[in-house]
PDB file of all heavy atoms in Angstrom:
ATOM      1  N   GLY A   1      41.978   7.831 -33.646  1.00  0.00           N
ATOM      2  CA  GLY A   1      42.953   6.808 -34.006  1.00  0.00           C
ATOM      3  C   GLY A   1      43.762   7.147 -35.243  1.00  0.00           C
ATOM      4  O   GLY A   1      44.570   6.340 -35.698  1.00  0.00           O
ATOM      5  N   GLY A   2      43.532   8.342 -35.804  1.00  0.00           N
ATOM      6  CA  GLY A   2      44.312   8.784 -36.954  1.00  0.00           C
ATOM      7  C   GLY A   2      43.729   8.395 -38.296  1.00  0.00           C
ATOM      8  O   GLY A   2      44.409   8.493 -39.322  1.00  0.00           O
ATOM      9  N   ILE A   3      42.460   7.976 -38.296  1.00  0.00           N
ATOM     10  CA  ILE A   3      41.802   7.579 -39.540  1.00  0.00           C
ATOM     11  C   ILE A   3      40.886   8.705 -39.999  1.00  0.00           C
ATOM     12  O   ILE A   3      40.014   9.149 -39.254  1.00  0.00           O
ATOM     13  CB  ILE A   3      40.995   6.275 -39.342  1.00  0.00           C
ATOM     14  CG1 ILE A   3      41.941   5.137 -38.930  1.00  0.00           C
ATOM     15  CG2 ILE A   3      40.227   5.914 -40.615  1.00  0.00           C
ATOM     16  CD1 ILE A   3      41.219   3.852 -38.551  1.00  0.00           C
ATOM     17  N   GLU A   4      41.079   9.160 -41.225  1.00  0.00           N
ATOM     18  CA  GLU A   4      40.266  10.248 -41.773  1.00  0.00           C
ATOM     19  C   GLU A   4      38.897   9.725 -42.196  1.00  0.00           C
ATOM     20  O   GLU A   4      38.789   8.654 -42.800  1.00  0.00           O
ATOM     21  CB  GLU A   4      40.973  10.875 -42.980  1.00  0.00           C
ATOM     22  CG  GLU A   4      40.196  12.009 -43.635  1.00  0.00           C
ATOM     23  CD  GLU A   4      40.849  12.513 -44.913  1.00  0.00           C
ATOM     24  OE1 GLU A   4      41.951  12.017 -45.251  1.00  0.00           O
ATOM     25  OE2 GLU A   4      40.248  13.384 -45.579  1.00  0.00           O
ATOM     26  N   VAL A   5      37.848  10.483 -41.874  1.00  0.00           N
ATOM     27  CA  VAL A   5      36.489  10.160 -42.310  1.00  0.00           C
ATOM     28  C   VAL A   5      35.995  11.299 -43.189  1.00  0.00           C
ATOM     29  O   VAL A   5      35.957  12.450 -42.759  1.00  0.00           O
ATOM     30  CB  VAL A   5      35.540   9.960 -41.112  1.00  0.00           C
ATOM     31  CG1 VAL A   5      34.101   9.744 -41.601  1.00  0.00           C
ATOM     32  CG2 VAL A   5      35.994   8.780 -40.257  1.00  0.00           C
ATOM     33  N   VAL A   6      35.605  10.970 -44.420  1.00  0.00           N
ATOM     34  CA  VAL A   6      35.178  11.995 -45.376  1.00  0.00           C
ATOM     35  C   VAL A   6      33.685  12.270 -45.258  1.00  0.00           C
ATOM     36  O   VAL A   6      33.262  13.417 -45.068  1.00  0.00           O
ATOM     37  CB  VAL A   6      35.531  11.571 -46.823  1.00  0.00           C
ATOM     38  CG1 VAL A   6      35.091  12.652 -47.806  1.00  0.00           C
ATOM     39  CG2 VAL A   6      37.024  11.303 -46.956  1.00  0.00           C
ATOM     40  N   ASN A   7      32.865  11.230 -45.364  1.00  0.00           N
ATOM     41  CA  ASN A   7      31.406  11.389 -45.319  1.00  0.00           C
ATOM     42  C   ASN A   7      30.810  10.494 -44.238  1.00  0.00           C
ATOM     43  O   ASN A   7      31.244   9.352 -44.052  1.00  0.00           O
ATOM     44  CB  ASN A   7      30.770  11.004 -46.662  1.00  0.00           C
ATOM     45  CG  ASN A   7      31.275  11.865 -47.808  1.00  0.00           C
ATOM     46  OD1 ASN A   7      31.263  13.082 -47.726  1.00  0.00           O
ATOM     47  ND2 ASN A   7      31.721  11.219 -48.881  1.00  0.00           N
ATOM     48  N   ARG A   8      29.796  11.011 -43.540  1.00  0.00           N
ATOM     49  CA  ARG A   8      29.021  10.204 -42.594  1.00  0.00           C
ATOM     50  C   ARG A   8      27.628  10.010 -43.167  1.00  0.00           C
ATOM     51  O   ARG A   8      27.014  10.947 -43.677  1.00  0.00           O
ATOM     52  CB  ARG A   8      28.957  10.870 -41.225  1.00  0.00           C
ATOM     53  CG  ARG A   8      30.319  11.032 -40.571  1.00  0.00           C
ATOM     54  CD  ARG A   8      30.217  11.755 -39.233  1.00  0.00           C
ATOM     55  NE  ARG A   8      29.533  10.945 -38.230  1.00  0.00           N
ATOM     56  CZ  ARG A   8      29.268  11.374 -36.991  1.00  0.00           C
ATOM     57  NH1 ARG A   8      29.611  12.601 -36.628  1.00  0.00           N
ATOM     58  NH2 ARG A   8      28.647  10.586 -36.126  1.00  0.00           N
ATOM     59  N   ILE A   9      27.127   8.785 -43.065  1.00  0.00           N
ATOM     60  CA  ILE A   9      25.845   8.447 -43.682  1.00  0.00           C
ATOM     61  C   ILE A   9      24.912   7.871 -42.627  1.00  0.00           C
ATOM     62  O   ILE A   9      25.231   6.865 -41.979  1.00  0.00           O
ATOM     63  CB  ILE A   9      26.043   7.425 -44.826  1.00  0.00           C
ATOM     64  CG1 ILE A   9      26.983   8.016 -45.891  1.00  0.00           C
ATOM     65  CG2 ILE A   9      24.707   7.031 -45.437  1.00  0.00           C
ATOM     66  CD1 ILE A   9      27.377   7.025 -46.970  1.00  0.00           C
ATOM     67  N   SER A  10      23.763   8.503 -42.438  1.00  0.00           N
ATOM     68  CA  SER A  10      22.767   8.010 -41.489  1.00  0.00           C
ATOM     69  C   SER A  10      21.732   7.177 -42.222  1.00  0.00           C
ATOM     70  O   SER A  10      21.646   7.197 -43.451  1.00  0.00           O
ATOM     71  CB  SER A  10      22.095   9.173 -40.761  1.00  0.00           C
ATOM     72  OG  SER A  10      21.456  10.040 -41.688  1.00  0.00           O
ATOM     73  N   ILE A  11      20.937   6.443 -41.487  1.00  0.00           N
ATOM     74  CA  ILE A  11      19.946   5.571 -42.084  1.00  0.00           C
ATOM     75  C   ILE A  11      18.812   6.411 -42.681  1.00  0.00           C
ATOM     76  O   ILE A  11      18.326   7.360 -42.049  1.00  0.00           O
ATOM     77  CB  ILE A  11      19.388   4.580 -41.036  1.00  0.00           C
ATOM     78  CG1 ILE A  11      18.403   3.606 -41.674  1.00  0.00           C
ATOM     79  CG2 ILE A  11      18.761   5.305 -39.853  1.00  0.00           C
ATOM     80  CD1 ILE A  11      17.961   2.486 -40.741  1.00  0.00           C
ATOM     81  N   PRO A  12      18.363   6.120 -43.895  1.00  0.00           N
ATOM     82  CA  PRO A  12      17.244   6.859 -44.491  1.00  0.00           C
ATOM     83  C   PRO A  12      15.956   6.659 -43.689  1.00  0.00           C
ATOM     84  O   PRO A  12      15.717   5.578 -43.139  1.00  0.00           O
ATOM     85  CB  PRO A  12      17.120   6.243 -45.892  1.00  0.00           C
ATOM     86  CG  PRO A  12      18.454   5.625 -46.163  1.00  0.00           C
ATOM     87  CD  PRO A  12      18.955   5.159 -44.835  1.00  0.00           C
ATOM     88  N   ASP A  13      15.134   7.690 -43.608  1.00  0.00           N
ATOM     89  CA  ASP A  13      13.902   7.618 -42.818  1.00  0.00           C
ATOM     90  C   ASP A  13      13.000   6.480 -43.267  1.00  0.00           C
ATOM     91  O   ASP A  13      12.307   5.864 -42.456  1.00  0.00           O
ATOM     92  CB  ASP A  13      13.146   8.952 -42.910  1.00  0.00           C
ATOM     93  CG  ASP A  13      13.867  10.069 -42.163  1.00  0.00           C
ATOM     94  OD1 ASP A  13      14.703   9.749 -41.290  1.00  0.00           O
ATOM     95  OD2 ASP A  13      13.599  11.255 -42.456  1.00  0.00           O
ATOM     96  N   GLY A  14      13.004   6.176 -44.554  1.00  0.00           N
ATOM     97  CA  GLY A  14      12.125   5.138 -45.076  1.00  0.00           C
ATOM     98  C   GLY A  14      12.458   3.745 -44.601  1.00  0.00           C
ATOM     99  O   GLY A  14      11.648   2.819 -44.774  1.00  0.00           O
ATOM    100  N   LEU A  15      13.632   3.557 -43.995  1.00  0.00           N
ATOM    101  CA  LEU A  15      14.036   2.238 -43.513  1.00  0.00           C
ATOM    102  C   LEU A  15      13.794   2.052 -42.020  1.00  0.00           C
ATOM    103  O   LEU A  15      14.061   0.983 -41.475  1.00  0.00           O
ATOM    104  CB  LEU A  15      15.523   2.000 -43.810  1.00  0.00           C
ATOM    105  CG  LEU A  15      15.923   1.940 -45.285  1.00  0.00           C
ATOM    106  CD1 LEU A  15      17.431   1.702 -45.403  1.00  0.00           C
ATOM    107  CD2 LEU A  15      15.157   0.859 -46.023  1.00  0.00           C
ATOM    108  N   ILE A  16      13.286   3.090 -41.354  1.00  0.00           N
ATOM    109  CA  ILE A  16      13.108   3.029 -39.905  1.00  0.00           C
ATOM    110  C   ILE A  16      11.783   2.335 -39.567  1.00  0.00           C
ATOM    111  O   ILE A  16      10.715   2.816 -39.954  1.00  0.00           O
ATOM    112  CB  ILE A  16      13.128   4.444 -39.291  1.00  0.00           C
ATOM    113  CG1 ILE A  16      14.469   5.124 -39.589  1.00  0.00           C
ATOM    114  CG2 ILE A  16      12.892   4.377 -37.783  1.00  0.00           C
ATOM    115  CD1 ILE A  16      14.500   6.594 -39.203  1.00  0.00           C
ATOM    116  N   PRO A  17      11.803   1.197 -38.847  1.00  0.00           N
ATOM    117  CA  PRO A  17      10.558   0.534 -38.440  1.00  0.00           C
ATOM    118  C   PRO A  17       9.718   1.439 -37.541  1.00  0.00           C
ATOM    119  O   PRO A  17      10.263   2.305 -36.830  1.00  0.00           O
ATOM    120  CB  PRO A  17      11.043  -0.706 -37.676  1.00  0.00           C
ATOM    121  CG  PRO A  17      12.455  -0.913 -38.131  1.00  0.00           C
ATOM    122  CD  PRO A  17      12.996   0.452 -38.406  1.00  0.00           C
ATOM    123  N   GLY A  18       8.405   1.230 -37.544  1.00  0.00           N
ATOM    124  CA  GLY A  18       7.514   2.105 -36.801  1.00  0.00           C
ATOM    125  C   GLY A  18       7.839   2.214 -35.326  1.00  0.00           C
ATOM    126  O   GLY A  18       7.891   3.312 -34.756  1.00  0.00           O
ATOM    127  N   ASP A  19       8.082   1.075 -34.661  1.00  0.00           N
ATOM    128  CA  ASP A  19       8.336   1.103 -33.221  1.00  0.00           C
ATOM    129  C   ASP A  19       9.732   1.626 -32.888  1.00  0.00           C
ATOM    130  O   ASP A  19      10.052   1.863 -31.723  1.00  0.00           O
ATOM    131  CB  ASP A  19       8.152  -0.299 -32.636  1.00  0.00           C
ATOM    132  CG  ASP A  19       7.812  -0.280 -31.145  1.00  0.00           C
ATOM    133  OD1 ASP A  19       7.082   0.630 -30.715  1.00  0.00           O
ATOM    134  OD2 ASP A  19       8.280  -1.182 -30.418  1.00  0.00           O
ATOM    135  N   ALA A  20      10.573   1.768 -33.917  1.00  0.00           N
ATOM    136  CA  ALA A  20      11.946   2.250 -33.698  1.00  0.00           C
ATOM    137  C   ALA A  20      12.045   3.770 -33.761  1.00  0.00           C
ATOM    138  O   ALA A  20      13.131   4.324 -33.555  1.00  0.00           O
ATOM    139  CB  ALA A  20      12.894   1.635 -34.722  1.00  0.00           C
ATOM    140  N   SER A  21      10.935   4.446 -34.038  1.00  0.00           N
ATOM    141  CA  SER A  21      10.980   5.912 -34.106  1.00  0.00           C
ATOM    142  C   SER A  21      11.357   6.504 -32.755  1.00  0.00           C
ATOM    143  O   SER A  21      11.955   7.588 -32.688  1.00  0.00           O
ATOM    144  CB  SER A  21       9.636   6.464 -34.573  1.00  0.00           C
ATOM    145  OG  SER A  21       8.590   6.088 -33.690  1.00  0.00           O
ATOM    146  N   VAL A  22      11.014   5.814 -31.663  1.00  0.00           N
ATOM    147  CA  VAL A  22      11.392   6.285 -30.322  1.00  0.00           C
ATOM    148  C   VAL A  22      12.908   6.355 -30.211  1.00  0.00           C
ATOM    149  O   VAL A  22      13.477   7.372 -29.791  1.00  0.00           O
ATOM    150  CB  VAL A  22      10.812   5.348 -29.239  1.00  0.00           C
ATOM    151  CG1 VAL A  22      11.365   5.721 -27.863  1.00  0.00           C
ATOM    152  CG2 VAL A  22       9.296   5.427 -29.233  1.00  0.00           C
ATOM    153  N   GLU A  23      13.574   5.264 -30.568  1.00  0.00           N
ATOM    154  CA  GLU A  23      15.036   5.220 -30.526  1.00  0.00           C
ATOM    155  C   GLU A  23      15.647   6.285 -31.439  1.00  0.00           C
ATOM    156  O   GLU A  23      16.562   7.022 -31.036  1.00  0.00           O
ATOM    157  CB  GLU A  23      15.531   3.843 -30.952  1.00  0.00           C
ATOM    158  CG  GLU A  23      17.052   3.749 -31.090  1.00  0.00           C
ATOM    159  CD  GLU A  23      17.491   2.523 -31.874  1.00  0.00           C
ATOM    160  OE1 GLU A  23      17.224   2.464 -33.090  1.00  0.00           O
ATOM    161  OE2 GLU A  23      18.112   1.643 -31.273  1.00  0.00           O
ATOM    162  N   MET A  24      15.150   6.379 -32.667  1.00  0.00           N
ATOM    163  CA  MET A  24      15.747   7.278 -33.641  1.00  0.00           C
ATOM    164  C   MET A  24      15.647   8.733 -33.216  1.00  0.00           C
ATOM    165  O   MET A  24      16.634   9.484 -33.252  1.00  0.00           O
ATOM    166  CB  MET A  24      15.082   7.070 -35.007  1.00  0.00           C
ATOM    167  CG  MET A  24      15.636   7.947 -36.119  1.00  0.00           C
ATOM    168  SD  MET A  24      17.432   7.789 -36.349  1.00  0.00           S
ATOM    169  CE  MET A  24      17.583   6.034 -36.628  1.00  0.00           C
ATOM    170  N   GLU A  25      14.459   9.157 -32.801  1.00  0.00           N
ATOM    171  CA  GLU A  25      14.287  10.561 -32.419  1.00  0.00           C
ATOM    172  C   GLU A  25      15.040  10.889 -31.133  1.00  0.00           C
ATOM    173  O   GLU A  25      15.556  11.995 -30.970  1.00  0.00           O
ATOM    174  CB  GLU A  25      12.804  10.885 -32.267  1.00  0.00           C
ATOM    175  CG  GLU A  25      12.015  10.784 -33.566  1.00  0.00           C
ATOM    176  CD  GLU A  25      12.574  11.682 -34.670  1.00  0.00           C
ATOM    177  OE1 GLU A  25      13.182  12.723 -34.363  1.00  0.00           O
ATOM    178  OE2 GLU A  25      12.408  11.327 -35.849  1.00  0.00           O
ATOM    179  N   ALA A  26      15.132   9.913 -30.218  1.00  0.00           N
ATOM    180  CA  ALA A  26      15.900  10.126 -28.987  1.00  0.00           C
ATOM    181  C   ALA A  26      17.376  10.307 -29.300  1.00  0.00           C
ATOM    182  O   ALA A  26      18.052  11.174 -28.716  1.00  0.00           O
ATOM    183  CB  ALA A  26      15.698   8.950 -28.036  1.00  0.00           C
ATOM    184  N   LYS A  27      17.900   9.507 -30.229  1.00  0.00           N
ATOM    185  CA  LYS A  27      19.308   9.626 -30.597  1.00  0.00           C
ATOM    186  C   LYS A  27      19.589  10.957 -31.288  1.00  0.00           C
ATOM    187  O   LYS A  27      20.607  11.614 -31.001  1.00  0.00           O
ATOM    188  CB  LYS A  27      19.700   8.457 -31.508  1.00  0.00           C
ATOM    189  CG  LYS A  27      19.838   7.129 -30.777  1.00  0.00           C
ATOM    190  CD  LYS A  27      20.284   6.021 -31.716  1.00  0.00           C
ATOM    191  CE  LYS A  27      20.553   4.734 -30.959  1.00  0.00           C
ATOM    192  NZ  LYS A  27      21.001   3.641 -31.857  1.00  0.00           N
ATOM    193  N   LYS A  28      18.704  11.372 -32.166  1.00  0.00           N
ATOM    194  CA  LYS A  28      18.892  12.654 -32.853  1.00  0.00           C
ATOM    195  C   LYS A  28      18.881  13.797 -31.845  1.00  0.00           C
ATOM    196  O   LYS A  28      19.694  14.728 -31.921  1.00  0.00           O
ATOM    197  CB  LYS A  28      17.803  12.841 -33.910  1.00  0.00           C
ATOM    198  CG  LYS A  28      17.997  11.963 -35.145  1.00  0.00           C
ATOM    199  CD  LYS A  28      16.733  11.781 -35.941  1.00  0.00           C
ATOM    200  CE  LYS A  28      16.198  13.077 -36.507  1.00  0.00           C
ATOM    201  NZ  LYS A  28      15.009  12.838 -37.369  1.00  0.00           N
ATOM    202  N   ALA A  29      17.965  13.726 -30.864  1.00  0.00           N
ATOM    203  CA  ALA A  29      17.890  14.767 -29.843  1.00  0.00           C
ATOM    204  C   ALA A  29      19.124  14.782 -28.946  1.00  0.00           C
ATOM    205  O   ALA A  29      19.513  15.828 -28.415  1.00  0.00           O
ATOM    206  CB  ALA A  29      16.634  14.570 -28.998  1.00  0.00           C
ATOM    207  N   ALA A  30      19.751  13.599 -28.783  1.00  0.00           N
ATOM    208  CA  ALA A  30      20.950  13.502 -27.942  1.00  0.00           C
ATOM    209  C   ALA A  30      22.218  13.916 -28.676  1.00  0.00           C
ATOM    210  O   ALA A  30      23.303  13.887 -28.090  1.00  0.00           O
ATOM    211  CB  ALA A  30      21.089  12.076 -27.423  1.00  0.00           C
TER     212      ALA A  30
END
């Protein structure tokens, strides 16, 4: 859309709930 993005920031590991590790690792692998 013509918008510049300088930095991308992902969620810190310490904020990931235990049961959400499935989602997080699947997304990283994808």
